């Protein structure tokens, strides 16, 4: 159907009747002025097209950080997160993958940022992009790919500096993605700090829920400090952690969490590591992932010409076409790492089976 037209407009339904009433169309400039009035004094402002590596014209309606968020949402690296491990390789219908994790991080971060009058679109852009640099098979991919790079492989800076580089994102967005892990330098914006907390809050809560659903742990195994201070279900836990962040930040001005609840979060994370992430089945799964990914990198480094040119350019730059890269060279290894890191779990396993004659019994199982 082409819709329903009158003399002025085409509408979707034959009986469409909704109108916006007495509305003011907010241009980007008007919204930037409103942000100046409504945002916290140290919140990050988005002005014009934003601070980007390559200058570009601003959008007439969207702020620069909304454009960043939209670019990430439409990028293939974000779509591929749906096929990448959060905790379980080949997750079932009700288990999280990297994409659902990123969306839950965005929800937690938005709840905190909105309450604190921070820049919500910037928080959302950082949150949905924070794991775009992850390889297949979860964090084991970092152990698998690190030996091939002089600087090692860390999904956070790799995501900002390689995976998302073609999108020409704002420096503030990239900073929040690059430094969201607690082991890295602190982000330069309060929004980035919020995303760092939201990431930890989200994965601790939903990984436990998935593990319970899979029969790996039981609800009554939850440490008393967590159950008593934060509740035994995900909704209660998330609400407690978000409120503890808002309360602490309002009292101190620093992005953080009330000490008693932060202690419970740390205990929760420790429990997950001991009972979920580092259990024997997870260790065996990680070993299989590492063996497969390293074999794939070595395979493609010896055959760099089969690596997609766009993938190679993201890591090597536009001045080094992949067809001129020598097999086995440092450039070939970097391009191979970029190609393998971008694979979904299933595609990596399929490549192993078809190109390496990989023994399917060595492939990681769903749990």
């Amino acid at each position: 159907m082409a819709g329903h037209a009158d003399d002025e407009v085409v509408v979707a339904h034959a009986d469409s009747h909704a109108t916006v009433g007495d509305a003011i169309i907010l241009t980007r400039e008007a919204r930037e002025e409103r942000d100046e009035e409504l945002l916290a004094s140290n919140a990050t402002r988005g002005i014009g097209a934003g601070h980007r590596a390559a200058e570009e014209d601003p959008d007439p309606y969207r702020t620069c950080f909304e454009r960043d968020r939209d670019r990430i949402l439409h990028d293939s690296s974000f779509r591929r997160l749906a096929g990448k491990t959060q905790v379980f390789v080949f997750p079932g219908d009700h288990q999280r993958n990297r994409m659902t994790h990123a969306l839950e991080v965005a929800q937690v971060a938005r709840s905190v940022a909105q309450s604190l009058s921070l820049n919500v679109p910037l928080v959302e852009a950082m949150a949905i992009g924070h794991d775009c640099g992850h390889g297949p098979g979860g964090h084991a991919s970092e152990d698998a790919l690190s030996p091939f790079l002089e600087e090692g492989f860390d999904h956070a800076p790799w995501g900002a500096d390689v995976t998302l580089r073609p999108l020409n994102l704002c420096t503030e967005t990239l900073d929040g993605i690059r430094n969201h892990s607690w082991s890295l330098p602190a982000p330069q914006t309060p929004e980035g700090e919020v995303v760092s907390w939201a990431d930890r809050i989200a994965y601790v809560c939903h990984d436990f829920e998935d593990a319970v659903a899979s029969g790996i742990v039981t609800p009554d195994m939850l440490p008393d400090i967590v159950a008593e201070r934060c509740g035994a279900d995900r909704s209660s836990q998330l609400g407690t952690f978000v409120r503890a962040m808002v309360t602490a930040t309002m009292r101190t001005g620093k992005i953080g969490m009330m000490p008693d609840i932060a202690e419970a979060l740390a205990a929760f994370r420790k429990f997950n590591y001991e009972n979920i992430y580092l259990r024997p089945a997870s260790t065996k799964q990680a070993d299989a992932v590492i063996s497969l990914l390293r074999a794939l990198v070595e395979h493609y480094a010896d055959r760099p010409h089969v690596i997609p040119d766009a993938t190679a350019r993201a890591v090597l730059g536009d001045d080094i076409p992949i067809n001129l890269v020598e097999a086995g060279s440092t450039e070939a290894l970097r391009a191979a790492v970029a190609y393998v890191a971008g694979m979904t779990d299933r595609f990596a396993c399929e490549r192993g089976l078809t190109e390496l004659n990989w023994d399917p019994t060595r492939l990681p199982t769903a749990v």
Side-chain angles (χ1 to χ4, degrees):
M1 295 179 63
H4 304 272
D6 57 26
D7 292 337
E8 297 181 317
V9 68
V10 176
V11 296
H13 303 275
D15 60 345
S16 291
H17 59 276
T19 62
V20 297
D22 186 15
I24 299 174
I25 303 301
L26 290 174
T27 63
R28 172 187 49 77
E29 294 93 335
R31 298 177 63 211
E32 290 170 352
E33 292 177 5
R34 187 174 63 173
D35 281 350
E36 199 62 45
E37 298 176 1
L38 297 179
L39 293 183
S41 58
N42 288 341
T44 306
R45 268 68 174 170
I47 305 298
H51 305 104
R52 304 180 188 273
E55 292 186 8
E56 55 186 61
D57 293 331
D59 187 87
Y61 298 110
R62 293 176 298 165
T63 67
C64 59
F65 299 132
E66 288 173 334
R67 295 178 82 184
D68 282 1
R69 177 197 61 202
D70 296 346
R71 289 177 186 185
I72 297 169
L73 277 171
H74 289 280
D75 191 62
S76 60
S77 65
F78 178 74
R79 293 196 298 275
R80 288 197 299 270
L81 293 181
K84 294 192 178 187
T85 298
Q86 171 59 25
V87 173
F88 304 100
V89 176
F90 304 145
D93 291 343
H94 301 291
Q95 294 169 332
R96 272 77 171 185
N97 53 51
R98 281 284 161 194
M99 178 183 283
T100 54
H101 164 67
L103 294 174
E104 291 186 43
V105 173
Q107 182 275 318
V108 173
R110 181 188 178 101
S111 296
V112 175
Q114 195 160 263
S115 299
L116 298 175
S117 298
L118 297 176
N119 195 309
V120 171
L122 174 56
V123 157
E124 290 179 325
M126 293 172 175
I128 64 169
H130 82 282
D131 270 356
C132 282
H134 251 298
H139 281 280
S141 64
E142 295 180 312
D143 293 330
L145 302 176
S146 283
F148 301 108
L149 303 174
E150 182 179 354
E151 72 277 20
F153 183 92
D154 186 313
H155 76 280
W158 184 268
D161 300 332
V162 177
T163 308
L164 299 174
R165 185 181 70 84
L167 301 186
N168 195 34
L169 302 177
C170 292
T171 57
E172 297 88 346
T173 303
L174 292 172
D175 171 73
I177 293 170
R178 184 181 298 112
N179 295 308
H180 72 270
S181 298
W182 287 27
S183 59
L184 296 169
Q188 297 301 304
T189 64
E191 289 82 2
E193 292 269 11
V194 167
V195 171
S196 292
W197 277 96
D199 179 33
R200 180 162 295 193
I201 290 168
Y203 77 68
V204 163
C205 293
H206 66 52
D207 289 352
F208 176 76
E209 185 177 61
D210 278 356
V212 169
S214 299
I216 293 169
V217 296
T218 60
D220 58 8
M221 293 172 64
L222 194 66
D224 290 342
I225 187 176
V226 179
E228 293 170 1
R229 296 183 186 181
C230 307
D233 63 276
R234 174 178 45 82
S235 178
S236 299
Q237 293 158 357
L238 290 176
T240 299
F241 292 135
V242 167
R243 289 189 293 271
M245 281 196 68
V246 173
T247 300
T249 306
M250 291 296 291
R251 288 183 183 179
T252 68
K254 299 178 180 179
I255 304 296
M257 184 178 287
M258 297 300 293
D260 60 329
I261 304 303
E263 183 183 17
L265 177 62
F268 201 168
R269 182 172 180 268
K270 182 175 183 291
F271 171 86
N272 281 6
Y273 265 88
E274 293 174 349
N275 295 276
I276 302 172
Y277 311 140
L278 298 180
R279 75 192 196 283
S282 290
T283 302
K284 183 178 180 181
Q285 181 185 91
D287 290 342
V289 167
I290 291 169
S291 296
L292 173 60
L293 299 190
R294 287 182 179 173
L296 285 172
V297 170
E298 292 167 356
H299 175 79
Y300 289 113
D302 284 339
R303 301 162 181 80
H305 301 166
V306 304
I307 298 172
D309 188 63
T311 299
R313 288 181 184 275
V315 68
L316 300 179
D318 295 332
D319 298 332
I320 308 179
I322 192 62
N323 64 331
L324 298 181
V325 171
E326 182 181 353
S329 65
T330 299
E331 291 80 10
L333 277 172
R334 291 188 69 84
V337 167
Y339 186 36
V340 173
M343 294 178 177
T344 62
D345 297 354
R346 195 168 300 280
F347 185 76
C349 290
E350 289 173 352
R351 293 303 89 192
L353 290 170
T354 59
E355 298 190 22
L356 306 177
N357 294 318
W358 191 259
D359 181 358
T361 63
R362 297 178 62 189
L363 294 177
T365 59
V367 291

